[in-house]
Amino acid sequence: MRGVCGPYRHRRPLRWAVAGAGATVAAALTAGSLTGTLSFGDGPGSGERPPKAAPSPHTPADALQPPIVARAQWRADPKLLDQKPRYADAVHAVVLHHTGHSNDYDCSDSPHLVRDMYRTHAVARDWGDLGYNFLVDRCGTIFEGRKGGVDRPVVGAHTIGINTGTTGIAAIGTFTEGAPVPKALRKSVEMLIAWKLGLTGIAPEARSQLISSNSSSRFTKGSTVSVPTVLGHIDAYETTCPGKALAQLLPALRKGAARLQSKAKVQIRKEGGRPRNKKAEGAARRAPSGHARIGGTAGSA
């Protein structure tokens, strides 16, 4: 098996009847410090309250959290879920992927593409859930992938050997050599990297120590390996993923994410590092905080 990255057949698209969806996404992406979930298609499920407006950020990570389309919003079928979330101690590195889709899809079809991958990973590959922790489409919309909490160190099934302690971000499309990488996609990936690594104070241009769990990766099982905190799937496993176009952007993505972290630190210092409304802050968080026990690799990845 070559890991998660690979061709996906674009089945009959399900177009969402969302008036002005592109404008909504564009407006959300221009709000640099916007936090919470992004409205896309149908709202939260029955009985689920929409997230309240987030208060002024009080940590660099809070200032960096981008808008994210939650699983309920892209209509993840709970009947396909066959795995409980597992957690690492923290996210030490980010692994970048591409999904193998055609690059000319309409962004209004992105929820359909995510649902299609969900079924492929959870059922056809028997991983119980999506392998990726996050997915980003060419318009820059970020989708919550694997269940467990977007701000928690959820163990995914995106790369053999180093799923534990990493977050898998998949760019929806095929980014082989010469393929253009949309600016909106790139900017959202930078923000997502800056936020996820910022939750544990890790610099995007640093290196992290991970323990390999599978000798089928580039690292012997049980060995401690030093990896960049932002790496491509190809750096961990024998694959062409995330494609040369994205792989060549890794240095720029690291610099961009580092720049965002620096700006967030300056912003927090100016604001005094305190939230204006602690009660609203607690309500705005959708997932519990804190570290959980280290989990094993997910699925067959």
Side-chain angles (χ1 to χ4, degrees), residues 17-177:
V18 185
T24 301
V25 172
L29 291 173
T30 57
S33 61
L34 180 64
T35 62
T37 56
L38 177 66
S39 178
F40 200 112
D42 290 351
S46 178
E48 183 180 349
R49 295 180 180 179
K52 296 182 179 179
S56 297
H58 64 288
T59 69
D62 290 332
L64 289 165
Q65 184 175 352
I68 299 170
V69 178
R71 289 172 64 94
Q73 292 171 306
W74 57 260
R75 298 194 301 187
D77 186 350
K79 295 179 181 178
L80 301 182
L81 186 66
D82 189 28
Q83 176 170 292
K84 293 182 179 179
R86 289 183 285 179
Y87 301 94
D89 64 327
V91 171
H92 300 281
V94 169
V95 183
L96 187 62
H97 304 260
H98 69 172
T99 63
H101 287 95
S102 169
N103 293 340
D104 61 355
Y105 58 88
D106 190 312
C107 290
S108 64
D109 290 333
S110 296
H112 165 77
L113 300 180
V114 174
R115 289 195 300 272
D116 191 46
M117 282 185 280
Y118 174 38
R119 178 175 294 277
T120 298
H121 291 185
V123 180
R125 298 192 180 187
D126 198 28
W127 292 347
D129 197 356
L130 260 167
Y132 307 120
N133 298 96
F134 298 94
L135 303 99
V136 185
D137 74 6
R138 66 185 186 89
C139 291
T141 306
I142 301 172
F143 296 85
E144 176 185 9
R146 202 167 188 84
K147 185 180 176 66
V150 294
D151 64 348
R152 300 188 68 186
V154 180
V155 177
H158 57 94
T159 183
I160 291 175
I162 57 169
N163 284 311
T164 300
T166 64
T167 279
I169 299 176
I172 302 177
T174 301
F175 297 98
T176 50
E177 188 171 14

